[in-house]
Amino acid sequence: MNKHSIASFFLAFAIFCAISIDSQAQKDKDYQPTDIAIDLPKPYKSVDHGSYKGLKATNFYLLMRDSVKIAMDLYLPKNLEAGAKLPTLVHQTRYWRSPDLRWPFSMFTNGLIGPMGEAITEIVESGYAVVNIDSRGSGASFGDRKYPWSEEEYNDLAEIVDWIIQQEWSNQNVGTVGVSYSGTTAEFALVNQHPNIKCGLILYSLFDVYEDIAFPGGIYHEFFVENWGKFNNRLDKNELPRKSFVARLLVKGVRRVNGPKKVRTFKDAIREHEANIQVSESSDGIVYKDDVPANKAVASSAVFSPSSYITEINNSRAAVYLYSGWLDGNYQRASIRKFLNYDNPQNKLLIGPWEHSGRYNCSPNNPGKSGFDHVGEFLKFFDYHLKGVDNGLYNEPKVHYFTMAENKWKSSEKWPVDAQIKTLYFGDNHTLNSDKPATEEALFDHYKVDTTAGTGDDSRWKSVIGMLKTGAVYPDREEQNKKNIVYDSAPLESNLEVTGHPIITLYINSTATDGNFHAYLEDVDEAGNVHLITEGLLRGLHRKLSDEKPPYKIVAPYRSYLSKDGMPLIPGEVAELVFDLIPTSYQFKKGHKIRISLAGADKDHFGNAIDEEPEWKVYRNALYPSKIELPVVGE
């Protein structure tokens, strides 16, 4: 057997293994996606689509101002003509810029594998240069990391842009792009206000570190923080982050940079990563937003939250495209807040029926692989801002959003969209009713918190760490609701669209001074099947609403999460808890019921604020009318 036959065998074997372990791929075999854009956002092919065939890849170190060497890959169209000028996209990541593939797989690819590799290939073949970068202290780059998105990290990108615009192939126009961590890196690049950065594509990423990911509602997001820390620690040691036979078969680690003493240089870079401080350490001891972590690596999470740099980002004058999914953890709310606070009139917002990457369409009556042309939408934005192509981008409304269950794209010039508030009050026999309770009699329902309650593995929160492998989210709500207290509406007489930010008000008397409060908005069909649409959460200690002006524009009740506003619950007294649910766009069908499900724990994702199972009285009378306020469109 010659080496090409051996290579073919191993490649076929790897593909077989990958397919064998992906049961969802089998389920999706005959699936027809409904998230394909037909009208708006208008489908698009780049003006230079297919103008180039193939890529030329090089890698090298670039020396920074403090002598730290940053590893970079440069992708240019193959056979680029002399004198041709291209715009450049920069992507800076702490998750390995590209893998080092084992032989024989390395014979068949330049390392651009998977959806990201396909995207880069299409972008480069549409007439772009792409620079892919290992953030300092990660991948094959030198340096260390004391906290995420440090000033040193985004200053590196300014130097890299300086290098780009000096190259003979550069047309002087640069766009930043990134997903999740690298999306925030792309956003922080604008803080430098570099004149050659014209735009940023900010995908599936946070705005306020405390509220959006580490402590949503003030509750410790234990699953994410602990696992993300371990994930990064392994990457920084040049180890694969998860056990996978196929991955070990294909990948040795991060791609090393070519050059003299290649192996020794790489080992030196990895050795410098030993000084990295993991995010789990930085979260130790945090309750309030202004708490200093035990390791004192940073004053607070505000230092590395884009929400602290609104003025600088606005002063960059770069246009941003904010891009998320309704099941993208809490990041669709983050994208909305950016849209409200970043003031460039050419900014855009798009939210689809997706998880944390746009791979899956999570609309409940048609879950499966996404069919949306993400790369086409990216190129529409970049062609306009970096090539000067008048492609109709701004003939479209600024906001595009997908209404789940109706399975329809919609557009608006603003967010939130126009809506009427439909209020449903908690009532007798665990009902939701349009009429406010009339009696002042102390009516309430008893609930003993069950700390085994959870939301399972196929959740919005698992998606933000890349562990969601299906569009069929929250499959076991009927069983989980047995551990919660629920309230149902009567069957709907017509379809009902909820688009925006639901607000829940709970009046609760708890036997504890603190605790977790989780509220779920659910859809119950005629057969009793339950689908979780969205959720909200709040730690009791953070219940106080602030009288101060929010530091940035929001669409929600405002609480500061600062230590000065801490307000423990008082056993025996009724507490008012008002908080928003994660925004959504969803159509309840005629005959379905609206359900509110309450729990005092989500064991699968969030740490418990207290080590006990308190008892609640959930009030539902005229003095204490627990309720849900739904933004209803078209009623």
Side-chain angles (χ1 to χ4, degrees):
M1 184 179 287
N2 61 39
K3 69 178 183 179
H4 293 293
S5 298
I6 295 172
S8 298
F9 169 78
F10 276 108
L11 185 60
F13 179 66
I15 293 171
F16 170 78
C17 291
I19 292 174
S20 296
I21 63 174
D22 188 359
S23 59
Q24 186 62 36
Q26 296 295 323
K27 294 177 183 177
D28 289 345
K29 185 177 180 181
D30 299 318
Y31 165 76
Q32 296 297 317
T34 53
D35 63 336
I36 296 172
I38 298 173
D39 182 19
L40 292 175
K42 187 176 181 180
Y44 179 76
K45 285 295 183 185
S46 173
V47 290
D48 295 316
H49 179 75
S51 296
Y52 300 91
K53 297 296 182 184
L55 281 66
K56 178 183 178 182
T58 55
N59 62 57
F60 50 91
Y61 281 116
L62 195 63
L63 195 65
M64 298 291 104
R65 62 213 166 274
D66 54 0
S67 299
V68 171
K69 292 185 285 188
I70 300 299
M72 297 168 45
D73 291 341
L74 170 64
Y75 297 98
L76 294 171
K78 198 172 183 179
N79 301 320
L80 185 66
E81 293 182 3
K85 304 293 184 182
L86 305 175
T88 306
L89 303 183
V90 291
H91 176 253
Q92 186 181 32
T93 181
R94 64 106 57 251
Y95 301 141
W96 296 357
R97 72 195 192 284
S98 52
D100 190 4
L101 299 180
R102 299 183 186 277
W103 187 90
F105 310 109
S106 57
M107 298 170 56
F108 300 96
T109 176
N110 55 16
L112 290 176
I113 58 176
M116 182 60 75
E118 293 172 5
I120 290 176
T121 298
E122 183 174 345
I123 289 168
V124 173
E125 291 185 340
S126 295
Y128 285 84
V130 173
V131 176
N132 210 15
I133 307 152
D134 280 330
S135 292
R136 66 166 55 210
S138 72
S141 286
F142 284 74
D144 58 46
R145 309 175 58 80
K146 296 298 187 286
Y147 57 91
W149 306 294
S150 67
E151 186 175 4
E152 290 80 5
E153 187 174 0
Y154 58 80
N155 282 343
D156 289 342
L157 198 50
E159 288 197 56
I160 291 167
V161 173
D162 286 339
W163 175 86
I164 288 169
I165 62 177
Q166 295 171 18
Q167 306 309 302
E168 62 179 3
W169 41 260
S170 172
N171 78 347
Q172 309 296 299
N173 292 332
V174 177
T176 65
V177 60
V179 176
S180 193
Y181 185 97
S182 63
T184 304
T185 306
E187 197 166 355
F188 266 109
L190 308 183
V191 173
N192 294 310
Q193 301 171 44
H194 197 295
N196 293 85
I197 296 180
K198 306 300 183 182
C199 62
L201 178 62
I202 316 299
L203 303 151
Y204 313 99
S205 60
L206 55 79
F207 184 52
D208 184 312
V209 170
Y210 183 94
E211 292 188 57
D212 293 337
I213 190 65
F215 293 88
I219 300 176
Y220 181 45
H221 192 176
E222 183 176 28
F223 172 83
F224 175 83
V225 173
E226 299 297 325
N227 282 280
W228 192 59
K230 293 174 184 176
F231 178 96
N232 291 333
N233 188 44
R234 291 183 64 87
L235 286 175
D236 295 345
K237 294 178 180 178
N238 196 41
E239 299 173 357
L240 291 171
R242 299 192 184 105
K243 294 180 180 179
S244 167
F245 171 73
V246 175
R248 289 198 306 271
L249 180 67
L250 289 169
V251 179
K252 289 189 288 187
V254 66
R255 176 179 288 179
R256 303 176 185 186
V257 173
N258 294 327
K261 301 179 181 178
K262 174 179 175 180
V263 174
R264 180 178 175 180
T265 300
F266 179 73
K267 288 181 178 179
D268 289 344
I270 299 301
R271 192 175 300 113
E272 291 197 3
H273 301 171
E274 293 174 3
N276 288 358
I277 295 177
Q278 297 304 321
V279 68
S280 55
E281 299 175 57
S282 298
S283 300
D284 187 28
I286 300 296
V287 174
Y288 298 101
K289 210 171 189 178
D290 53 345
D291 282 342
V292 177
N295 63 15
K296 295 183 172 57
V298 66
S300 75
S301 63
V303 172
F304 51 95
S305 292
S307 58
S308 300
Y309 302 89
I310 293 170
T311 299
E312 292 84 352
I313 291 171
N314 283 334
N315 287 343
S316 76
R317 306 315 304 154
V320 294
Y321 200 159
L322 306 162
Y323 204 99
S324 185
W326 294 126
L327 276 297
D328 178 22
N330 201 21
Y331 289 171
Q332 64 298 105
R333 188 176 79 155
S335 294
I336 288 168
R337 288 187 173 184
K338 297 175 199 183
F339 182 73
L340 294 174
N341 287 279
Y342 296 162
D343 63 7
N344 189 318
Q346 292 186 320
N347 293 345
K348 294 181 71 69
L349 171 68
L350 183 144
I351 306 178
W354 308 310
E355 33 59 74
H356 186 64
S357 71
R359 293 174 299 172
Y360 293 104
N361 173 5
C362 299
S363 189
N365 54 359
N366 191 54
K369 296 290 180 68
S370 172
F372 188 82
D373 183 10
H374 295 286
V375 178
E377 190 65 17
F378 303 164
L379 286 168
K380 187 197 305 182
F381 179 69
F382 287 130
D383 277 3
Y384 183 93
H385 288 286
L386 302 179
K387 291 185 177 181
V389 178
D390 186 5
N391 55 15
L393 176 67
Y394 292 100
N395 294 333
E396 300 180 17
K398 293 181 180 180
V399 179
H400 300 299
Y401 64 96
F402 188 91
T403 300
M404 296 185 293
E406 186 181 6
N407 297 324
K408 184 178 180 181
W409 281 102
K410 299 175 181 178
S411 300
S412 172
E413 285 294 339
K414 63 180 182 178
W415 189 274
V417 301
D418 291 332
Q420 300 294 319
I421 299 301
K422 182 180 182 65
T423 303
L424 295 175
Y425 296 92
F426 293 17
D428 295 342
N429 302 314
H430 296 271
T431 57
L432 292 175
N433 306 294
S434 297
D435 295 330
K436 183 178 179 179
T439 179
E440 294 186 2
E441 182 183 349
L443 301 177
F444 54 80
D445 297 309
H446 285 279
Y447 173 65
K448 181 175 175 57
V449 169
D450 186 338
T451 54
T452 68
T455 49
D457 289 329
D458 297 328
S459 70
R460 68 171 60 242
W461 304 110
K462 293 289 173 70
S463 86
V464 293
I465 201 167
M467 295 179 67
L468 183 63
K469 306 299 182 185
T470 175
V473 292
Y474 301 108
D476 58 348
R477 290 308 296 170
E478 293 175 74
E479 190 64 29
Q480 288 295 339
N481 274 334
K482 294 176 182 178
K483 302 174 182 179
N484 301 353
I485 183 170
V486 303
Y487 296 85
D488 288 349
S489 74
L492 296 173
E493 296 180 356
S494 60
N495 294 343
L496 185 77
E497 179 190 331
V498 174
T499 296
H501 304 251
I503 306 292
I504 193 162
T505 301
L506 302 176
Y507 291 97
I508 289 183
N509 180 342
S510 175
T511 58
T513 59
D514 200 359
N516 294 16
F517 295 87
H518 298 264
Y520 306 101
L521 175 64
E522 299 178 332
D523 181 1
V524 184
D525 69 16
E526 297 91 338
N529 300 309
V530 183
H531 178 75
L532 192 156
I533 302 163
T534 189
E535 63 190 278
L537 59 165
L538 178 67
R539 182 171 175 174
L541 185 67
H542 297 296
R543 64 191 171 100
K544 181 181 177 181
L545 294 176
S546 178
D547 295 327
E548 299 175 359
K549 182 180 179 180
Y552 46 77
K553 297 175 186 176
I554 60 174
V555 185
Y558 172 61
R559 49 180 45 86
S560 72
Y561 297 102
L562 299 176
S563 53
K564 68 182 180 65
D565 287 333
M567 183 182 287
L569 303 171
I570 301 174
E573 291 189 8
V574 179
E576 182 186 51
L577 307 173
V578 183
F579 54 102
D580 57 316
L581 276 59
I582 294 170
T584 191
S585 183
Y586 185 89
Q587 186 189 70
F588 290 88
K589 300 296 186 183
K590 178 182 177 180
H592 289 208
K593 297 178 182 179
I594 298 170
R595 171 173 290 180
I596 295 296
S597 179
L598 305 178
D602 179 355
K603 69 176 180 60
D604 300 308
H605 306 98
F606 296 96
N608 289 324
I610 54 176
D611 294 325
E612 56 184 291
E613 294 187 332
E615 295 185 13
W616 297 351
K617 292 178 181 177
V618 182
Y619 281 78
R620 46 177 177 78
N621 60 5
L623 292 176
Y624 304 119
S626 295
K627 61 186 178 181
I628 181 73
E629 296 172 273
L630 301 174
V632 173
V633 175
E635 187 174 65

